[in-house]
Amino acid sequence: MKGNAPLVCWFQECRKEDVPLVGGKNSSLGELINAGIRVPPGFALTTHAYRQFIEQGKLSEKLMGLCDGIDDTDMQALEAASVEARRLIEETDLTYELEDSVAEYYRKLSNYCCMPATPVAVRSSATAEDLPDASFAGQQDTYLWIRGVDDVLNRVKTCISSLYTARAIAYRNKNKFKHHEVAISVGIQKMANSWTAGVMFTLNPSNGDRSSIVIDSNFGFGESVVSGEVTPDQFLVNKVSEEIMARTISCKEVCYTVDPITQTSIRSEVPAERQEVQSLLDHEIEELARMGKLIEKHYGRPMDVEWAVDKTVPSGGNIFILQARPETVWSARKTDPVSGGRKSALEHIVNSVMTGKRLQ
Amino acid sequence: MAKVQFPNPHDVETIPGTEGWERMYPYQYPFVTDDPERKAYEENAFWFYDGLHYPEPLYPFDTIWDEAWFLALSQYNTRIFSVPPVFGVDHRMINGYLYITPVPVKDPEVIQSRIAHFMERAGYYYENWNALEAKWEQKMKQTIADLEALEIPKLPEMEDLSVVKEGLGESTGYKLLKAYDNVIDLGIRCWQYHFEFLNLGYAAYVTFLDFCQKIFPDIPPQRVTQMISGIDVIMYQPDEELKNLARRAVDLGVDAEVRKGTDYEALKASLGGSDAGKQWLAAFEKARYPWFNVSTGTGWYHHDRSWNDDLSVPLSSIGIYIDKLHEGNSLERPMEAVQQERDRITAEYRNLISTDEDRATFDQLLGTAKTVFPYVENHLFYVEHWFHSVFWNKIREVAEIVKEFGIIEDVEDIWYLKRGEIRDVLWDVVTAWATNVKPRGTYTWPKEIDWRRGVMKKFQEWSPPPAVGPAPDVIQEPFTVVLWGVTNESLKSWSDIQNVANLDDIDSFKGFPGSPGSVEGKARVCRTVADIGQLEEGEILVAPTTSPSWAPVFIKIKACVTDVGGVMSHAAIVCREYGMPAIVGTGHATKIIKTGQMLKVNGTTGEVTIVK
């Protein structure tokens, strides 16, 4: 990002070199948007804003005093420090400048989505130096279906305070990271009001075939698929020709939808007549697969993607990518060449004739 | 998948009224129980019905090509190239249908010793493929030229005076016997050449397929064949000739005349009067040899007639092309697009390979597959089309003579005789001719032929089991592998369909996915190429099989379903070139589907659904 560090910025302004400013998650969303991938719109509260908040609230020393020197195995002491630290953060007011900036961007986002007080997801986006392993990142919080400026601002503070969970404090103490040097960014993103959602692998997770794309889907939000609560529909797409090669339609008994009154996600039963209906249309499968190809091309490696089809957006622009991570299982495996050291075509032919074809 | 069970070969029952059918075929073909050693061997082998080549029972004479490839394939595997784990392919017959089994090499030491020979011998062929293939083409052309030049002499009332004046010392009777022997000899020789490269070609193709499937377990075989598509082969030439004749007719301004009808004699009369007409007729005559020696079927049966036998077939196709030209169609095969798509797909798969070593192997095996591909395609034109078309007609000339002497009533009855029996009949004929008496066969053969006719009819109404004997886990013989496809799934679906009592109850079935894509459309069942005149724009062609003589229909249809064929069959290759779906090797599509039904054809999964 160019110029002075802003307090907030749109996702599309984020690039991968902005991880120190907007964290891994937000910068990755920016990357996706700029690679031509449709991502639900949103903005980031930057680490610059975080620092301003800590500074103006004079929190730095208080937090250090609470957390420094606690034995990283003393769970009770860690828990006590965490409660105190988080209370301290959450009771401190954001600066007017910060509040105004968030409110202004939230209003613009609602405008853009043609929906007053549009429901958003508020989630923390950790910066690289705080990301020694993926599991640590998961410690930070995500809040879904947040509506209205006040709630958004409150959740922003909760996200910031999630830097001071017991586990995070213990981790920094153990590894001698300084508490006052860490920073966090927060992402505020339109909730995809999904009709259907799920995950996509840009390889076949069952056999590692890199020429395949596998899509799992169920009605409603992706939670039911990610958590493994239902057996989703599964589609196998040829990455090269982009044709659907196989489809397994499962009986999907539950899904997550939005409660129209509380505007929150609720678990509900899929009506019997829809349970065995294909939850993602063929042309959606094909478009999603093309997006998968683009994402893989952009990152140069097989990816694991969360996606949703938004029912409030017209067809043709309604498929959104919510998250993209590098695939880890097959990519971590060392692949031995299948050539098996055979040098000439003839050696391969002999080997092939010797092996024959398995019929059963 | 559960093991598919097949009957014991000795338990298949003889159809009532056909007892004694075995005498219609070579004596070693039936399964037997009287020889305990042979019986045990037969029971322990897995025999599958070769429906790809023989969708119908064999006429006694047509068995000649089976004997020819029985010998040729097996000798190359066993004695010439020494394919390590497998000897030849053994043949049997049940109720006129052909069953084959590859014979494995069981002794591991023998396999090891065969590897070294194979490396040397097959290696030599792969290394010198192009030079040897050029030599092959010369041999093949010579064999065909010899056949075309061969005269079947009519037996004269009185020998020509030259026999006396030139002291020739041979009668036409003797020459007829010799000519018949020569026709048969050329046929056997032609099939010797047929298999010279074929199994090595299949082995190279299968190796590339195997390799791709190891790296990409999900890759459909048709994507592998697509990587070797877009190479010009002579199988397309007959169709190109028709297009050229259509263009020529338009250029010369005789297109309206040519379009009028499909009677060649009438056309000759109407065009013969003008210079332009004469020029077009000359071009037509020039194209006929060799390019109209293309069979309307697979060429394996005597009733697969060639364009030259029925000029209305190429003439109606030229008519279709003239119409297309009037509509502003260029008639070009979308070769460039096919090649671009081939290159794109090849590059994408190549990029997904994770090691340099495998990428190098991919390049190497793809190169070999591309080298062998033209032969695998082209041999069909030389042997099954050109040679066979000429061959069947030479035998018809022999049949004329047999008919003249009252042994058969109709020329087409000759096919009820084995080739050895025809030789016996000719001896009967020439000795009777020489002696000026009536041949004995005039009494014996008509009765026998009538009986055989009835037997053949019963055979045709019978459905052969897809296989007999215990199925093995692995098949190693390259020819069988390509013939078979990759799994026994297709076999199972064939047997499933056989167990359905009423074919009308079937609303979906599967075949090999021959060319990808999915469409819906109206079915048009064409049992022979003569039916293609009824085809309407945008219909789905359902046919027993297709050959190059069907080429003009591919410009009209939007998908193709066949009873017989694999991913390398004509219909699959042409549909890939035109970018339309094809499902091949369904076994029974022409029996199940009726013209006018709405079909959904998914060339990616191989599924055919009858919508209504």
Side-chain angles (χ1 to χ4, degrees):
Chain A
M1 209 167 297
K2 285 171 189 147
N4 292 333
L7 297 173
V8 289
C9 63
W10 296 109
F11 286 156
Q12 56 266 35
E13 295 167 330
C14 306
R15 293 293 191 281
K16 57 174 178 286
E17 58 274 15
D18 295 324
V19 172
L21 188 66
V22 296
K25 220 172 264 173
N26 291 337
S27 83
S28 137
L29 290 172
E31 282 288 310
L32 285 174
I33 292 170
N34 285 290
I37 307 294
R38 203 178 301 116
V39 166
F43 59 94
L45 178 96
T46 66
T47 51
H48 177 60
Y50 164 81
R51 290 207 175 87
Q52 194 190 71
F53 167 67
I54 296 290
E55 216 169 281
Q56 306 258 339
K58 302 189 172 51
L59 295 175
S60 195
E61 291 198 349
K62 292 179 199 159
L63 288 169
M64 265 197 287
L66 278 171
C67 304
D68 271 0
I70 299 179
D71 179 356
D72 63 74
T73 57
D74 185 349
M75 274 320 291
Q76 223 173 340
L78 287 167
E79 199 51 53
S82 167
V83 169
E84 194 52 30
R86 295 192 72 166
R87 190 189 56 79
L88 184 65
I89 293 171
E90 284 160 30
E91 285 178 358
T92 305
D93 289 334
L94 291 170
T95 61
Y96 288 131
E97 190 190 3
L98 219 48
E99 275 191 0
D100 285 350
S101 303
V102 171
E104 172 67 1
Y105 270 59
Y106 178 67
R107 191 186 60 75
K108 281 185 182 159
L109 180 67
S110 297
N111 244 353
Y112 179 77
C113 299
C114 304
M115 192 176 187
T118 199
V120 290
V122 180
R123 52 169 81 89
S124 53
S125 174
T127 54
E129 52 269 36
D130 303 325
L131 269 174
D133 62 27
S135 60
F136 182 67
Q139 289 302 304
Q140 277 129 14
D141 292 353
T142 295
Y143 303 96
L144 304 175
W145 293 99
I146 308 304
R147 293 190 74 175
V149 182
D150 289 346
D151 278 355
V152 169
L153 290 170
N154 278 334
R155 290 311 180 188
V156 164
K157 274 201 287 189
T158 325
C159 276
I160 292 175
S161 81
S162 73
L163 263 183
Y164 288 87
T165 60
R167 191 167 160 199
I169 299 167
Y171 182 85
R172 284 193 293 270
N173 283 0
K174 187 178 175 197
N175 292 289
K176 312 249 176 324
F177 287 122
K178 297 200 169 74
H179 292 289
H180 68 274
E181 280 176 7
V182 299
I184 196 165
S185 162
V186 181
I188 293 99
Q189 183 177 27
K190 178 195 183 297
M191 278 306 296
N193 196 351
S194 57
W195 166 255
T196 288
V199 295
M200 160 165 69
F201 290 91
T202 70
L203 52 64
N204 185 339
S206 65
N207 61 17
D209 190 333
R210 288 205 53 197
S211 70
S212 294
I213 287 175
V214 169
I215 297 170
D216 282 358
S217 84
N218 185 21
F219 296 112
F221 300 118
E223 288 163 84
S224 66
V225 179
V226 176
S227 67
E229 209 171 328
V230 293
T231 306
D233 291 340
Q234 187 168 78
F235 308 98
L236 176 68
V237 184
N238 184 319
K239 193 190 284 171
V240 175
S241 63
E242 297 171 10
E243 66 197 314
I244 303 165
M245 294 196 291
R247 61 189 89 215
T248 314
I249 310 303
S250 304
C251 180
K252 306 164 289 292
E253 284 162 358
V254 294
C255 70
Y256 285 83
T257 52
V258 61
D259 182 323
I261 296 161
T262 60
Q263 286 284 317
T264 54
S265 165
I266 49 163
R267 186 178 187 275
S268 60
E269 224 161 78
V270 178
E273 68 273 18
R274 256 178 60 203
Q275 288 182 358
E276 286 179 57
V277 171
Q278 183 172 324
S279 56
L280 190 63
L281 300 174
D282 278 12
H283 73 87
E284 294 169 341
I285 296 168
E286 285 158 12
E287 187 183 344
L288 198 50
R290 279 194 293 276
M291 286 176 157
K293 260 178 101 165
L294 262 179
I295 296 170
E296 178 180 286
K297 200 173 162 211
H298 182 75
Y299 287 95
R301 56 193 301 180
M303 300 292 284
D304 162 357
V305 174
E306 281 176 37
W307 56 269
V309 180
D310 194 316
K311 59 184 167 195
T312 58
V313 178
S315 171
N318 58 347
I319 301 179
F320 291 93
I321 300 302
L322 309 181
Q323 184 146 197
R325 297 178 280 261
E327 190 276 343
T328 49
V329 178
W330 288 92
S331 307
R333 242 176 245 193
K334 191 179 152 3
T335 40
D336 286 328
V338 305
S339 302
R342 285 175 286 276
K343 291 278 173 284
S344 67
L346 185 61
E347 284 174 63
H348 283 284
I349 290 166
V350 171
N351 180 62
S352 161
V353 172
M354 294 297 295
T355 314
K357 276 279 175 233
R358 190 150 285 280
L359 290 182
Q360 301 286 342
Chain B
M1 185 198 286
K3 241 184 156 109
V4 184
Q5 291 294 328
F6 299 104
N8 182 307
H10 301 114
D11 293 344
V12 180
E13 276 172 25
T14 297
I15 306 164
T18 68
E19 293 82 0
W21 63 269
E22 294 86 350
R23 69 173 179 268
M24 291 161 56
Y25 302 103
Y27 71 85
Q28 70 275 29
Y29 271 58
F31 285 98
V32 293
T33 51
D34 58 358
D35 173 348
E37 192 186 332
R38 194 170 174 93
K39 176 172 178 275
Y41 159 75
E42 288 174 349
E43 276 170 350
N44 290 317
F46 178 57
W47 306 84
F48 61 89
Y49 164 46
D50 183 7
L52 291 182
H53 296 105
Y54 305 107
E56 294 170 51
L58 284 166
Y59 283 78
F61 184 81
D62 296 6
T63 314
I64 183 173
W65 300 139
D66 190 69
E67 293 181 80
W69 81 259
F70 187 176
L71 169 66
L73 164 69
S74 296
Q75 78 192 15
Y76 278 109
N77 272 9
T78 311
R79 312 284 173 194
I80 297 177
F81 291 125
S82 177
V83 174
V86 69
F87 293 126
V89 171
D90 205 354
H91 291 218
R92 290 291 186 279
M93 205 175 256
I94 303 176
N95 296 337
Y97 290 88
L98 193 83
Y99 287 76
I100 54 180
T101 192
V103 179
V105 182
K106 288 186 176 137
D107 184 344
E109 271 178 41
V110 177
I111 295 178
Q112 280 311 312
S113 69
R114 288 173 69 84
I115 288 179
H117 290 304
F118 184 80
M119 299 283 278
E120 181 184 1
R121 293 166 176 231
Y124 185 82
Y125 260 67
Y126 287 122
E127 260 167 49
N128 299 285
W129 191 276
N130 290 335
L132 288 166
E133 194 185 350
K135 194 172 167 190
W136 179 91
E137 204 176 311
Q138 284 312 310
K139 289 185 295 194
M140 201 65 231
K141 281 184 171 160
Q142 189 56 53
T143 304
I144 295 169
D146 289 351
L147 180 70
E148 283 176 332
L150 203 141
E151 204 184 320
I152 307 290
K154 295 250 184 216
L155 297 172
E157 190 57 38
M158 178 78 77
E159 289 286 3
D160 193 81
L161 198 57
S162 61
V163 178
V164 177
K165 295 238 164 134
E166 289 170 28
L168 293 180
E170 291 170 7
S171 80
T172 310
Y174 165 74
K175 285 182 186 160
L176 174 61
L177 290 174
K178 196 170 141 189
Y180 178 73
D181 286 348
N182 281 344
V183 174
I184 299 299
D185 173 65
L186 287 167
I188 305 299
R189 194 206 294 176
C190 171
W191 273 85
Q192 288 281 297
Y193 299 152
H194 181 287
F195 271 95
E196 187 180 338
F197 292 76
L198 194 57
N199 240 5
L200 298 184
Y202 282 152
Y205 165 71
V206 167
T207 303
F208 180 56
L209 177 70
D210 275 351
F211 178 77
C212 291
Q213 287 180 329
K214 254 184 233 155
I215 296 195
F216 304 113
D218 299 330
I219 194 173
Q222 47 181 313
R223 291 293 164 209
V224 181
T225 50
Q226 196 175 6
M227 291 189 224
I228 47 177
S229 64
I231 299 170
D232 237 333
V233 290
I234 58 168
M235 274 313 282
Y236 294 117
Q237 197 52 41
D239 187 41
E240 291 302 314
E241 297 292 328
L242 298 184
K243 290 176 181 172
N244 283 336
L245 285 166
R247 291 189 194 103
R248 198 76 202 280
V250 173
D251 291 347
L252 289 165
V254 296
D255 44 329
E257 209 58 45
V258 172
R259 190 71 193 89
K260 257 183 198 159
T262 55
D263 179 347
Y264 187 53
E265 289 309 314
L267 190 62
K268 268 206 290 203
S270 73
L271 288 177
S274 71
D275 271 356
K278 276 184 198 148
Q279 277 182 48
W280 190 83
L281 286 171
F284 185 84
E285 280 300 324
K286 188 158 175 270
R288 285 181 64 181
Y289 305 98
W291 303 114
F292 288 12
N293 286 310
V294 54
S295 176
T296 51
T298 56
W300 287 63
Y301 289 92
H302 68 268
H303 53 65
D304 298 333
R305 306 305 300 269
S306 79
W307 289 356
N308 272 332
D309 292 331
D310 181 1
L311 289 170
S312 71
V313 174
L315 282 172
S316 74
S317 299
I318 291 170
I320 292 175
Y321 285 139
I322 288 175
D323 291 349
K324 287 278 162 194
L325 284 171
H326 288 158
E327 290 160 20
N329 190 308
S330 78
L331 302 186
E332 299 293 334
R333 275 188 302 137
M335 261 321 235
E336 217 166 286
V338 166
Q339 285 165 353
Q340 270 173 16
E341 181 64 0
R342 172 197 68 196
D343 294 344
R344 181 188 74 80
I345 282 189
T346 308
E348 279 207 35
Y349 274 110
R350 193 178 181 280
N351 280 339
L352 291 169
I353 298 174
S354 33
T355 65
D356 289 343
E357 184 182 337
D358 283 343
R359 209 165 300 122
T361 302
F362 176 85
D363 293 344
Q364 204 173 38
L365 295 179
L366 173 62
T368 311
K370 279 179 162 174
T371 306
V372 304
F373 176 74
Y375 175 81
V376 171
E377 275 300 290
N378 289 346
H379 83 276
L380 281 173
F381 180 74
Y382 286 107
V383 181
E384 274 94 332
H385 292 279
W386 191 357
F387 185 92
H388 281 198
S389 296
V390 178
F391 179 87
W392 297 122
N393 286 339
K394 290 287 175 194
I395 299 298
R396 285 189 175 91
E397 286 182 48
V398 173
E400 281 291 350
I401 295 166
V402 176
K403 180 186 161 193
E404 200 181 303
F405 280 81
I407 291 174
I408 55 175
E409 281 172 25
D410 188 290
V411 166
E412 299 299 316
D413 287 345
I414 198 78
W415 317 115
Y416 291 107
L417 273 60
K418 290 188 276 193
R419 66 187 159 95
E421 289 171 338
I422 295 177
R423 192 162 199 284
D424 292 344
V425 164
L426 288 177
W427 268 100
D428 187 13
V429 165
V430 296
T431 51
W433 165 80
T435 320
N436 198 31
V437 294
K438 192 175 178 186
R440 161 70 172 156
T442 54
Y443 177 80
T444 56
W445 279 113
K447 273 194 296 188
E448 176 68 10
I449 287 171
D450 264 356
W451 179 79
R452 291 186 183 187
R453 206 191 316 275
V455 169
M456 284 300 295
K457 201 159 177 296
K458 291 196 172 85
F459 282 173
Q460 279 157 359
E461 289 159 1
W462 187 70
S463 289
V468 290
D473 291 339
V474 173
I475 283 199
Q476 289 169 305
E477 202 282 317
F479 175 74
T480 317
V481 169
V482 172
L483 184 79
W484 191 279
V486 183
T487 67
N488 61 359
E489 224 174 304
S490 58
L491 197 70
K492 188 176 176 306
S493 78
W494 284 36
S495 76
D496 285 351
I497 285 178
Q498 263 183 5
N499 297 332
V500 175
N502 188 354
L503 288 180
D504 292 340
D505 295 344
I506 297 172
D507 52 15
S508 81
F509 57 93
K510 277 189 105 167
F512 291 111
S515 173
S518 179
V519 295
E520 238 183 274
K522 225 184 226 176
R524 173 70 62 179
V525 181
C526 295
R527 274 173 226 289
T528 74
V529 75
D531 300 337
I532 66 172
Q534 299 151 11
L535 248 169
E536 283 171 28
E537 196 84 34
E539 288 184 325
I540 294 174
L541 171 66
V542 182
T545 184
T546 70
S547 67
S549 62
W550 292 68
V553 309
F554 289 90
I555 210 161
K556 277 184 122 174
I557 60 175
K558 67 176 173 194
C560 177
V561 180
T562 68
D563 291 347
V564 178
V567 285
M568 292 291 261
S569 68
H570 177 265
I573 292 172
V574 178
C575 282
R576 283 194 296 269
E577 305 264 319
Y578 280 102
M580 68 173 86
I583 299 174
V584 294
T586 59
H588 304 268
T590 57
K591 285 185 198 152
I592 298 167
I593 298 171
K594 292 175 188 63
T595 291
Q597 284 177 327
M598 278 303 285
L599 299 186
K600 206 168 173 180
V601 172
N602 188 330
T604 307
T605 60
E607 211 157 351
V608 183
T609 315
I610 301 170
V611 183
K612 208 190 98 64

